[in-house]
Amino acid sequence: GWKDAISTTIINLNNEKMQITWATRELFSSENVSFSYTFDEGTHKVWKPCPTYLLDQGYNSGCLFKTEGPTLAISIRNNNGSEEFFSKRLKSDFYIKPNRPENVTFFWKDDTVTVSCNKPERSVKCLRLELQYKSKFDKDWQSRTSKCCRVGEQGFDPRKCYSLRVRLKRLVPYCNVVNYSSDWEAETLWMNGTLLDSCDDDIKSQSNTVMVLSCLLAVLLMILILLILLCKWQRLQKSVMPAVPDPKYVFVDLFNAHNGNFQEWIDKTDHAMVQTKLEYEEPECIIEAESQQEDEKNSDKQGPQEKIFSFSRAAENNDSKAAQIACLMSTSNTISSFAGLQILRNDDMYVML
């Protein structure tokens, strides 16, 4: 019953190496077993001993050897080879496990991702390329399978971070009797067509952006507040503590022309003020005295009658006395006295009493 109890696992690693394992440690705990194989057909078979044993706690539990043909025969015997415990004949091509895909590339366009890899040298028709993906909001992997060596999928959300991985699979039962797939290619993380080191990077980037914008807004707000306070402080300072004028700018001549010599500056200033006063002094009205006799005669003849002279008429007639009176009256709007007469100005008329 040992031959029926022994179960084996047969794997043809990319049609390059055969790996055969068995579970005999429980049945043959007291002794080791030997393994031999052959790829020859017919009656003249050449059995080869196992070149490399796989061990389990010091016991032979498997054998690794080179694939040399499509037909394989194996035999498990006792340690000295005198008794056979298990034998089997099989097609090695039906147990192929492909290698991982090589040179995997991801192409993103909008919400669609397309994955491709290099084509293997042989058995391409028996291979399928499988893509698996999930976001941080998904519990299980989503799968998509297509012919080797290109697969595409739609519906990716650009706001989500996705984990993606690919592998090659053998078709069952047309090419394999066992559903063997390659190991997964290294898992990669993507978001909106950008390769990431971690799905936490998108959260960090968003939080960093929000933090930077918040800091900028706070700085701008502080600057605005400081400007408002500065304006208010300047107004308050001017109203409470008015600025004291700098004598350097008030007395420019004292510091620039006289180098601070006050006596020299005041003397020159007084002299300039006297000249200015003389220049702008109002001209006096010079009235030539007429003979006292003519005045008395006129006063006797005229009496206390009112004589009204018009400034414009006197100017037209070149009346010298009227011109003298007008000159006198031009200096004041009040009652004036001239040659014993009282003269009153009313608008542009002069009344002589």
Side-chain angles (χ1 to χ4, degrees):
W2 289 349
K3 293 183 179 182
D4 297 333
I6 296 177
S7 62
T8 58
T9 301
I10 303 169
I11 302 175
N12 185 355
L13 299 174
N14 201 40
N15 207 25
E16 297 173 357
K17 287 186 177 181
M18 298 295 302
Q19 175 181 301
I20 307 212
T21 58
W22 56 88
T24 58
R25 186 171 59 85
E26 294 83 1
L27 299 175
F28 306 102
S29 58
S30 60
E31 62 175 330
N32 242 330
V33 295
S34 61
F35 178 86
S36 59
Y37 68 95
T38 181
F39 286 94
D40 297 333
E41 298 181 4
T43 57
H44 302 286
K45 296 179 182 179
V46 179
W47 292 89
K48 297 179 181 179
C50 177
T52 304
Y53 278 103
L54 304 177
L55 301 179
D56 183 10
Q57 296 182 2
Y59 291 92
N60 296 335
S61 62
C63 182
L64 188 63
F65 54 95
K66 184 179 179 180
T67 303
E68 299 175 0
T71 303
L72 173 65
I74 60 175
S75 175
I76 298 176
R77 297 174 176 267
N78 60 1
N79 193 18
N80 56 17
S82 59
E83 184 180 358
E84 186 180 67
F85 298 143
F86 177 79
S87 64
K88 188 173 184 179
R89 182 183 174 91
L90 55 96
K91 290 289 185 178
S92 60
D93 292 344
F94 289 166
Y95 297 85
I96 294 178
K97 178 180 180 180
N99 288 339
R100 293 188 301 180
E102 297 179 354
N103 193 22
V104 178
T105 57
F106 296 85
F107 177 74
W108 291 77
K109 184 177 181 181
D110 298 331
D111 65 339
T112 303
V113 59
T114 303
V115 186
S116 60
C117 66
N118 290 345
K119 288 185 178 182
E121 296 179 357
R122 51 192 174 185
S123 303
V124 178
K125 294 182 179 180
C126 291
L127 294 175
R128 293 292 182 268
L129 183 62
E130 181 183 10
L131 167 66
Q132 285 192 349
Y133 59 92
K134 69 175 181 178
S135 69
K136 57 185 178 181
F137 304 102
D138 300 328
K139 295 182 179 180
D140 301 324
W141 289 93
Q142 307 295 321
S143 182
R144 177 76 173 179
T145 304
S146 182
K147 293 182 179 181
C148 186
C149 294
R150 186 182 182 91
V151 61
E153 181 67 356
Q154 297 178 343
F156 287 89
D157 190 341
R159 298 169 296 179
K160 295 181 180 180
C161 178
Y162 290 92
S163 301
L164 287 87
R165 62 183 185 180
V166 292
R167 67 178 178 180
L168 290 173
K169 298 178 64 175
R170 289 275 295 185
L171 287 178
V172 177
Y174 304 103
C175 299
N176 265 31
V177 295
V178 182
N179 188 12
Y180 282 150
S181 301
S182 70
D183 295 334
W184 289 105
E185 180 63 16
E187 182 178 333
T188 55
L189 303 174
W190 296 81
M191 180 178 178
N192 196 20
T194 302
L195 182 63
L196 303 177
D197 294 332
S198 172
C199 280
D200 296 333
D201 293 345
D202 60 336
I203 301 176
K204 291 181 180 179
S205 61
Q206 293 177 2
S207 60
N208 292 336
T209 303
V210 173
M211 185 178 297
V212 170
L213 293 177
S214 301
C215 292
L216 289 176
L217 183 60
V219 170
L220 293 176
L221 184 61
M222 289 294 295
I223 293 174
L224 181 61
I225 294 174
L226 289 177
L227 290 176
I228 295 174
L229 292 177
L230 181 61
C231 294
K232 290 185 176 294
W233 169 251
Q234 289 179 350
R235 292 181 181 178
L236 180 63
Q237 189 177 20
K238 288 181 180 180
S239 61
V240 176
M241 296 180 293
V244 178
D246 191 347
K248 181 177 179 181
Y249 300 101
V250 178
F251 305 101
V252 178
D253 294 340
L254 175 61
F255 293 97
N256 293 340
H258 302 283
N259 295 325
N261 191 334
F262 181 78
Q263 188 62 41
E264 180 182 346
W265 173 76
I266 198 64
D267 292 341
K268 188 173 181 180
T269 304
D270 290 342
H271 180 67
M273 291 177 64
V274 170
Q275 289 182 350
T276 304
K277 184 175 181 181
L278 292 176
E279 291 176 359
Y280 290 96
E281 186 175 0
E282 294 182 356
E284 296 181 357
C285 293
I286 302 174
I287 304 174
E288 296 181 358
E290 298 182 355
S291 63
Q292 186 175 3
Q293 295 177 357
E294 291 178 358
D295 294 339
E296 291 177 356
K297 186 185 291 185
N298 292 332
S299 61
D300 293 338
K301 293 179 179 182
Q302 298 294 335
Q305 294 179 358
E306 295 182 359
K307 292 185 177 181
I308 302 174
F309 297 91
S310 173
F311 175 73
S312 59
R313 183 180 301 173
E316 293 175 357
N317 298 332
N318 294 323
D319 193 329
S320 62
K321 186 174 291 187
Q324 293 175 1
I325 294 171
C327 178
L328 177 64
M329 294 309 297
S330 64
T331 60
S332 176
N333 292 331
T334 59
I335 298 175
S336 301
S337 176
F338 172 72
L341 301 175
Q342 290 184 347
I343 304 170
L344 177 63
R345 180 181 179 183
N346 183 13
D347 294 335
D348 61 345
M349 302 294 293
Y350 298 90
V351 179
M352 183 172 62
L353 303 177

